[in-house]
Amino acid sequence: MRSAAVSTARLDSRFRRHVAAAMASALFAALAASRAHAQFNFPSPDQADMKIDAATRAAVVESLATQVDRRYVFPDVAKRTALALRSRLKKGDFNAITSAKEFADSLTATLHAVGKDRHFHTFYYDRALPPDAFARGEPSAAERAIEELNARRLNHGFERIQRLAGNVGYLELRSFDGSPEAGALAQAAMTLLGNSDALIVDLRRNGGGDPNMIMLLMSWLFPADDRVHVNDFYEREGGRTEQFWTLTSLPGPRYVDKEVYVLTGSRTASAAEEFAYDVKSLRRGTVVGETTAGGANPGAMVRLNDHFAAFISDGRAVNPVTGTNWEGVGVAPDVRVPAGDALKTAHLAALTKLLDKASDPERKAALTRALDQVTATPPEPLDMGGPPNGQPRRVVMGR
């Protein structure tokens, strides 16, 4: 991905079949993206531990320091982090650690302390990692089948679409899936919500995903003739910058001249944070809830040895409006309330604005009843159990 436009040469055969339909060509062209092999992603939290020795610790630290120095997006921070890792090893800070899980956690803590990057992470795997465990490129047929099955079971991140009291639309997204199938669901969702008078997008349990889905959904929020520069991603390798713009051609009507609210929580992460940040910086909506997790630098998994790997950020988001991003600080809400109260707060705000603008007596009466109903209803319990449904790909950390 090297420019705002997506080259057809990069589309796989499955994708080409989708874009054959003229009506959906612009929709699905926005969602083409290369993927990493998926057979080794994030390890199971209940995997067996393993005892490690001094030689393993030294080899992993050296490999991690080398990879951070070579890949991390900020070369100066990369050098400081690599130096800190080698210094801790030399001083014997890791000598007492014999647990592979504990060692991975200790390395992660060092990365966070020095690099100040929330995406930095070291992982231990109880099963051996092959040399190409995290190789970029097209997944095998078997890997693709597993990916597609898991994505379907999660409905490609589209958790709930609802018409709330007072004709307020509600869309809960658990991940930003960049597949053509997810693009079709986005079209269906925006068509169903098109007649609502205000929209609430719930990202409180969204762990991230593909920025192309962000671009697609943002496109519905602006007029067709208003091509908006949404975000940039800078990559250290080659000094490349990839731009993301809204689409001028989409199936169905746009969702313009209507209030938009984005719900956030402390577990709103990565690409979900970008959506909230973009909406806020472009003044297209109101963010309601808690400050988000604070991870803005995309990257990839890197194999360190047979049982250890690390996620290293090799790029950074650069918002064209602010010139910066949300790394380490998160996206601050416009209206700060506990995450569990965010939906009710946004719903009441939407109804209040609609009532202020209403002139028809029947509509005003209906909105008043809806406002009274929502006011009397307690906030919806927010179950935050389990991990967010971000897809386990390179893009889960914001790419």
Side-chain angles (χ1 to χ4, degrees):
M1 298 183 291
R2 301 290 173 247
S3 66
V6 179
S7 169
T8 3
R10 299 174 52 210
L11 309 182
D12 59 33
S13 58
R14 177 172 62 107
F15 190 75
R16 291 179 191 276
R17 289 197 297 271
H18 282 279
V19 298
M23 179 179 180
S25 61
L27 172 70
F28 294 130
L31 297 174
S34 61
R35 299 184 232 179
H37 288 307
Q39 73 271 45
F40 285 91
N41 292 294
F42 302 115
S44 170
D46 58 355
Q47 66 178 348
D49 202 351
M50 183 178 75
K51 189 173 182 178
I52 58 173
D53 56 18
T56 299
R57 291 192 296 268
V60 172
V61 168
E62 181 55 34
S63 180
L64 178 59
T66 299
Q67 293 293 347
V68 168
D69 194 16
R70 179 186 302 164
R71 297 170 181 268
Y72 187 62
V73 60
F74 298 107
D76 55 337
V77 177
K79 291 190 181 301
R80 288 202 308 270
T81 306
L83 179 63
L85 287 165
R86 292 181 174 120
S87 176
R88 287 201 65 190
L89 178 69
K90 187 176 181 179
K91 289 189 298 183
D93 291 353
F94 304 120
N95 286 357
I97 301 176
T98 58
S99 159
K101 288 184 177 180
E102 184 182 346
F103 185 49
D105 291 342
S106 182
L107 292 175
T108 297
T110 301
L111 293 172
H112 286 176
V114 181
K116 309 296 184 184
D117 190 320
R118 296 294 298 274
H119 277 153
F120 260 146
H121 210 97
T122 307
F123 299 92
Y124 154 69
Y125 291 81
D126 62 345
R127 55 177 176 155
L129 295 167
D132 64 345
F134 305 105
R136 300 181 192 180
E138 286 301 315
S140 67
E143 292 165 355
R144 188 187 294 278
I146 293 173
E147 266 192 23
E148 291 175 351
L149 177 60
N150 289 336
R152 285 197 301 272
R153 285 172 173 167
L154 297 174
N155 201 37
H156 300 280
F158 287 81
E159 184 72 12
R160 184 154 54 125
I161 302 166
Q162 188 176 351
R163 178 175 171 271
L164 303 178
N167 197 34
V168 174
Y170 175 78
L171 170 62
E172 182 180 7
L173 279 173
R174 295 290 185 93
S175 68
F176 285 85
D177 186 333
S179 69
E181 293 81 4
L185 288 177
Q187 177 187 344
M190 295 309 295
T191 299
L192 287 170
L193 295 168
N195 291 326
S196 61
D197 294 317
L199 177 63
I200 298 172
V201 181
D202 191 346
L203 305 180
R204 292 174 293 176
R205 288 168 282 200
N206 192 311
D210 194 319
N212 287 297
M213 175 56 79
I214 298 173
M215 179 178 65
L216 179 61
L217 291 173
M218 290 290 292
S219 297
W220 265 289
L221 305 183
F222 291 92
D225 57 355
D226 187 8
R227 190 164 182 259
V228 179
H229 189 182
V230 177
N231 192 40
D232 291 341
F233 276 115
Y234 167 80
E235 296 181 9
R236 175 180 172 178
E237 183 181 359
R240 295 180 291 263
T241 297
E242 178 184 7
Q243 296 185 342
F244 290 83
W245 297 70
T246 56
L247 303 175
T248 56
S249 177
L250 278 178
R254 302 289 180 119
Y255 200 91
V256 295
D257 300 325
K258 299 177 184 180
E259 296 291 331
V260 175
Y261 299 85
V262 180
L263 310 186
T264 60
S266 60
R267 293 184 64 184
T268 304
S270 200
E273 295 180 90
E274 187 201 319
F275 186 90
Y277 193 89
D278 294 341
V279 166
K280 183 175 180 177
S281 63
L282 291 168
R283 300 183 183 277
R284 184 56 190 90
T286 303
V287 179
V288 181
E290 299 171 348
T291 299
T292 61
N297 295 338
M301 292 287 284
V302 178
R303 183 185 185 275
L304 302 178
N305 78 344
D306 288 348
H307 292 279
F308 288 87
F311 187 93
I312 299 174
S313 302
D314 54 17
R316 61 188 174 96
V318 183
N319 183 276
V321 177
T322 66
T324 183
N325 60 45
W326 58 96
E327 179 63 42
V329 296
V331 181
D334 299 302
V335 181
R336 188 179 300 275
V337 295
D341 297 336
L343 176 55
K344 179 176 180 177
T345 301
H347 195 179
L348 288 173
L351 291 172
T352 300
K353 286 196 174 184
L354 290 173
L355 184 58
D356 288 344
K357 294 178 181 178
S359 56
D360 176 69
E362 290 188 11
R363 178 59 176 154
K364 293 184 72 171
L367 287 168
T368 300
R369 290 193 298 271
L371 194 60
D372 292 342
Q373 173 190 333
V374 177
T375 301
T377 304
E380 179 185 45
L382 185 65
D383 177 16
M384 296 300 290
N389 290 341
Q391 296 299 311
R393 303 173 181 168
R394 171 179 167 81
V395 298
V396 80
M397 295 293 188
R399 290 299 303 277

